[in-house]
Amino acid sequence: MSATRSFTLPDSRAVSYKLESGPENAPIVVLANSLTSNFESWDHVVEKLAANGLRALRWDQPGHGRSSAPADLSSTTFDSIADDVAALLKHLGLSAVHAWVGVSMGAAAGVVFVNRHPGIVNKLVVCDTIAQSPVNAGTEDLFSARVSAARTDGTMDNICEGTLERWFGKEWIAANPHEAARMRALMRTTSLDGFETCCAALRSKTFDLYPLLEKVAAGCNDVLLIVGEKDADLPTQMQKMRSGIEQGFRAAGKSNSIRLEVIKNAGHVCYIDGLEQFNSLVVPFLKQ
């Protein structure tokens, strides 16, 4: 069993990560998690990857799990998150990885990463992500309201409960008490500062994936998009993302068909409430 380790960035922030043990030549898959969660949420997926000869590399977003938040809570962007991962890979001596599998903000970070650091990631899996900050999408800024509510409470407890219900729904929580309790415990490792700084990335004027989608083909070789059927309007939003990525592949002369797969009855974190379907889609894609 591999241990959780910590890497110190040039700005003195600590990044908590875990690289699973396995043969040195085994393909490495980066797993990038969502806001208000830590990398242990991927445990069940890691087991499936290991059973198929794949090594997982996981890390915690700023202020999540054991990763520290920056002193300036407004400084985190998806560019800075992508650069954190590039620094981690350099620290580990990894010039390339087989895949990046991201959900929610972890998926957005993956799109940004392959644009900023092309040629490192072979396969990209993009799950359940918005493509723009509220200011760019012209929508209500719910992230700001949630940060204000958490600061008023002085605790993440209400945010975690509300997020758990929004992700999975009351029915699933009642039917899966042990997994719901596991996720609740993991979510409570997110600090108030971590929540605020990652919300800053999601709220930033710099967060807009649409101009990057056609450039994804220059940064990696194959893409799979996945979304939970019950994840609000993201099935529609992600169809637009799929079209943008596919257009870029065509322009680059790549014949790849970019798929968008919908996981039935799953919500925003589809590798939890749609685990079996998620694994049945992702593992063959990674091995083909």
Side-chain angles (χ1 to χ4, degrees):
M1 192 74 175
S2 56
T4 298
R5 301 186 181 278
S6 184
F7 163 63
T8 303
L9 291 162
D11 66 358
S12 299
R13 281 185 296 119
V15 176
S16 174
Y17 72 92
K18 180 182 281 193
L19 175 60
E20 297 301 320
S21 58
E24 285 192 13
N25 63 347
I28 291 176
V29 179
V30 175
L31 300 176
N33 46 282
S34 64
L35 177 70
T36 325
S37 180
N38 72 33
F39 66 52
E40 292 178 43
S41 64
W42 291 99
D43 282 354
H44 303 322
V45 175
V46 170
E47 292 172 5
K48 189 69 172 180
L49 295 179
N52 283 272
L54 302 164
R55 293 177 71 191
L57 170 61
R58 299 174 279 174
W59 95 100
D60 280 326
Q61 308 281 12
H64 289 57
R66 299 178 189 175
S67 290
S68 56
D72 179 359
L73 298 181
S74 65
S75 64
T76 299
T77 64
F78 282 101
D79 287 354
S80 72
I81 291 171
D83 291 347
D84 287 352
V85 179
L88 174 60
L89 294 180
K90 184 176 181 181
H91 168 72
L92 294 172
L94 298 173
S95 59
V97 295
H98 180 59
W100 178 302
V101 180
V103 170
S104 191
M105 72 176 295
V111 173
V112 173
F113 185 92
V114 299
N115 273 267
R116 287 179 70 80
H117 304 282
I120 293 177
V121 173
N122 179 28
K123 293 174 178 282
L124 177 64
V125 182
V126 179
C127 309
D128 295 271
T129 185
I130 58 174
Q132 297 175 304
S133 61
V135 68
N136 288 325
T139 57
E140 182 182 359
D141 186 353
L142 297 176
F143 299 113
S144 177
R146 289 169 189 161
V147 169
S148 295
R151 287 297 182 188
T152 299
D153 290 343
T155 173
M156 286 290 293
D157 288 353
N158 287 333
I159 290 293
C160 290
E161 286 303 315
T163 301
L164 195 70
E165 188 173 316
R166 191 167 58 252
W167 282 357
F168 305 118
K170 291 181 179 179
E171 237 180 81
W172 184 90
I173 293 170
N176 298 272
H178 296 297
E179 187 66 358
R182 183 181 81 92
M183 287 302 297
R184 182 181 291 108
L186 298 184
M187 292 163 76
R188 286 179 174 168
T189 66
T190 303
S191 68
L192 282 166
D193 284 354
F195 184 63
E196 182 171 341
T197 198
C198 286
C199 280
L202 288 158
R203 299 177 60 224
S204 173
K205 289 182 180 179
T206 67
F207 175 34
D208 189 351
L209 299 184
Y210 286 120
L212 305 181
L213 298 178
E214 290 189 23
K215 303 173 186 176
V216 166
C220 67
N221 295 317
D222 208 359
V223 180
L224 171 66
L225 294 91
I226 298 174
V227 66
E229 179 186 32
K230 295 181 177 180
D231 194 2
D233 66 341
L234 281 188
T236 300
Q237 286 194 47
M238 290 194 65
Q239 180 60 48
K240 183 178 178 182
M241 291 181 62
R242 186 207 66 79
S243 296
I245 294 171
E246 187 168 54
Q247 186 172 336
F249 269 78
R250 287 175 182 161
K254 296 182 177 181
S255 60
N256 310 50
S257 177
I258 308 303
R259 294 155 45 210
L260 171 62
E261 300 284 356
V262 178
I263 296 183
K264 297 293 183 183
N265 299 315
H268 188 60
V269 186
C270 58
Y271 62 91
I272 299 295
D273 56 352
L275 177 64
E276 290 187 10
Q277 294 177 70
F278 181 87
N279 285 337
S280 71
L281 291 168
V282 170
V283 171
F285 173 75
L286 297 181
K287 295 190 74 174
Q288 69 186 17

